[in-house]
């Protein structure tokens, strides 16, 4: 296994980050996760745009431009010979003296890791996954904006622990105003009377790239989409529920707490449209040239 660390692709066992790194000490940094289909990173520009946005929201200057980051990602994929993979890019504040001051860290740490993609079981897509409403509330937007994809994931981890205790796959967090926010690693949708509902960004969520595309695909299909403030009772009364993220794509939900859902019509349709979009994207990128960062045969 190889990883990219500060300008070089090196064997993973030789890649080490200092114990003084503020990412390790304080969770001071940001990251992105991406999915690679047949050697092509899906929506790479969108992910990098969000990475730079997260960095800017914490006053962190990424030490290279988007083109250099793209090369870093593809170099790492090539070194591992992965064609269907999961990529994680991390940028931390870097190594510095103990103490919160970001100025203690002259050089951010940039890491790209990837691993072969293990698809979720087909049974999950067929029958749906179980989710719970967590007691843990989503970080207050005014305190740590969930649009910052930060290395400090404790809020989500606490909700994940709740899900695990209840043998559920995902935990949906409410915000402090008791409105639906999002899952620990996903955005949530529900459907009622042919309308698709999802919490608005103003509820304090990460504006997922999958969420954005699913909204666009639904609208293109003539489905009415309402982004707004909803309660858990709204979710309970939905006819169908699904969650979205880069690796799960569109994942149906079979139960929220003790409420069960047997309808998977929207999830099935939107996952099909999503996959079609992925295929079109991959073919377009491949059509751009025989060699995209040298990854083509
Ligand atoms: N919310 C949270 C908290 C997440 O960690 C993720 C995964 N990045 C998402 C939503 C979904 O985002 P995306 O569709 O961009 O993967």
């Amino acid at each position: 296994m190889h990883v990219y660390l500060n300008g070089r692709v090196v064997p993973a066992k030789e890649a080490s980050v200092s114990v003084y790194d503020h990412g390790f000490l304080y969770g001071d940094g940001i990251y992105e996760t991406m999915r690679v289909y047949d050697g092509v990173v899906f929506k790479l520009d969108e992910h990098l745009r969000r990475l730079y946005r997260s960095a800017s929201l914490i006053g962190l200057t990424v030490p290279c431009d988007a083109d250099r980051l793209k090369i870093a990602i593809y170099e790492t994929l090539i070194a591992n010979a992965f064609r269907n993979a999961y990529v994680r890019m991390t940028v931390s504040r870097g190594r510095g003296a103990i103490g919160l001051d970001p100025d203690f860290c002259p050089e951010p740490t940039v890491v790209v890791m990837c691993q072969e993609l293990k698809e979720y079981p087909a049974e999950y897509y067929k029958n749906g996954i179980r989710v719970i409403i967590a007691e843990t509330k989503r970080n207050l937007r005014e305190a740590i904006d969930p649009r910052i994809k930060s290395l400090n994931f404790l809020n989500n981890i606490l909700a994940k622990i709740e899900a695990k205790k209840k043998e559920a796959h995902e935990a949906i967090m409410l915000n402090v105003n008791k409105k639906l926010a999002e899952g620990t690693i996903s955005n949530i949708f529900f459907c009622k009377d042919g309308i698709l509902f999802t919490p608005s960004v103003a509820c304090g969520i990460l504006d997922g790239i999958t969420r954005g595309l699913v909204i666009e695909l639904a609208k293109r299909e003539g489905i009415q989409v309402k982004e707004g403030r909803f309660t858990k009772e709204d979710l309970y009364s939905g006819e169908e529920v699904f969650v979205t993220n880069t690796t799960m794509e569109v994942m149906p939900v079979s139960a929220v707490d003790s409420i069960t859902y047997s309808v998977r019509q929207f999830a099935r349709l939107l996952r099909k449209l999503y996959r079609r979009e992925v295929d079109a994207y991959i073919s377009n990128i491949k059509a751009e040239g025989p060699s995209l960062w040298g990854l083509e045969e």
Side-chain angles (χ1 to χ4, degrees):
M1 185 84 81
H2 284 72
V3 304
Y4 171 96
L5 174 62
N6 295 334
R8 283 192 320 132
V9 176
V10 292
K13 58 181 186 308
E14 288 169 25
S16 46
V17 173
S18 168
V19 291
Y20 288 93
D21 195 288
H22 281 208
F24 174 68
L25 288 174
Y26 306 115
D28 185 357
I30 47 107
Y31 79 101
E32 270 300 315
T33 53
M34 291 154 258
R35 181 164 169 173
V36 181
Y37 297 86
D38 197 20
V40 176
V41 185
F42 186 55
K43 300 277 180 197
L44 179 53
D45 287 331
E46 286 80 350
H47 281 282
L48 291 181
R49 216 173 294 135
R50 191 169 66 184
L51 182 93
Y52 283 101
R53 184 187 74 187
S54 293
S56 146
L57 288 167
I58 68 163
L60 171 66
T61 306
V62 180
C64 41
D65 65 15
D67 281 347
R68 180 67 192 98
L69 294 185
K70 284 183 189 177
I71 293 168
I73 290 168
Y74 277 107
E75 279 176 346
T76 315
L77 286 166
I78 292 164
N80 289 291
F82 288 155
R83 295 197 72 83
N84 290 293
Y86 164 99
V87 175
R88 175 177 162 125
M89 170 166 272
T90 308
V91 185
S92 82
R93 191 76 65 179
R95 190 177 55 192
I98 294 173
L100 300 189
D101 190 344
D103 288 342
F104 292 163
C105 312
E107 279 290 326
T109 303
V110 181
V111 176
V112 180
M113 298 186 301
C114 50
Q115 66 189 37
E116 215 145 358
L117 190 92
K118 218 174 124 246
E119 289 255 15
Y120 285 89
E123 191 263 330
Y124 288 9
Y125 290 103
K126 188 161 174 271
N127 298 324
I129 56 169
R130 289 193 49 237
V131 310
I132 58 153
I133 303 286
E135 291 296 325
T136 305
K137 299 292 174 282
R138 189 67 176 118
N139 279 337
L140 189 63
R141 200 168 147 232
E142 292 77 7
I144 303 177
D145 190 340
R147 288 187 319 141
I148 304 168
K149 214 164 154 49
S150 95
L151 297 187
N152 193 320
F153 236 53
L154 263 184
N155 181 211
N156 314 46
I157 290 167
L158 293 176
K160 177 71 182 176
I161 290 169
E162 289 187 52
K164 287 195 71 162
K165 277 192 188 141
K166 295 188 174 165
E167 294 179 355
H169 284 95
E170 176 60 304
I172 306 302
M173 292 175 276
L174 305 177
N175 64 22
V176 288
N177 299 317
K178 298 194 173 141
K179 297 295 186 290
L180 289 172
E182 62 182 336
T184 63
I185 53 161
S186 64
N187 292 113
I188 182 128
F189 288 77
F190 63 97
C191 320
K192 206 173 170 182
D193 301 327
I195 303 171
L196 197 53
F197 298 89
T198 194
S200 64
V201 175
C203 294
I205 61 168
L206 178 74
D207 44 348
I209 288 166
T210 320
R211 170 188 179 278
L213 180 54
V214 163
I215 292 173
E216 190 188 315
L217 292 170
K219 286 182 177 167
R220 248 192 253 164
E221 200 64 16
I223 298 165
Q224 196 184 345
V225 183
K226 286 194 178 165
E227 294 176 64
R229 294 180 164 81
F230 308 109
T231 61
K232 68 175 177 188
E233 287 74 24
D234 292 326
L235 184 64
Y236 289 157
S237 70
E239 290 143 11
E240 183 181 338
V241 177
F242 61 85
V243 292
T244 62
N245 78 12
T246 295
T247 40
M248 288 194 272
E249 304 172 334
V250 179
M251 177 67 83
V253 167
S254 60
V256 179
D257 296 333
S258 58
I259 311 295
T260 57
Y261 306 86
S262 55
V263 186
R264 331 230 184 278
Q265 196 187 316
F266 273 85
R268 209 167 286 150
L269 170 69
L270 289 163
R271 181 153 186 258
K272 195 176 82 188
L273 297 174
Y274 187 89
R275 271 297 171 118
R276 206 176 280 167
E277 196 69 18
V278 169
D279 290 345
Y281 181 95
I282 304 307
S283 329
N284 275 344
I285 295 275
K286 289 187 170 183
E288 277 174 18
S291 168
L292 180 84
W293 315 116
L295 199 70
E296 290 294 298
E297 292 89 348

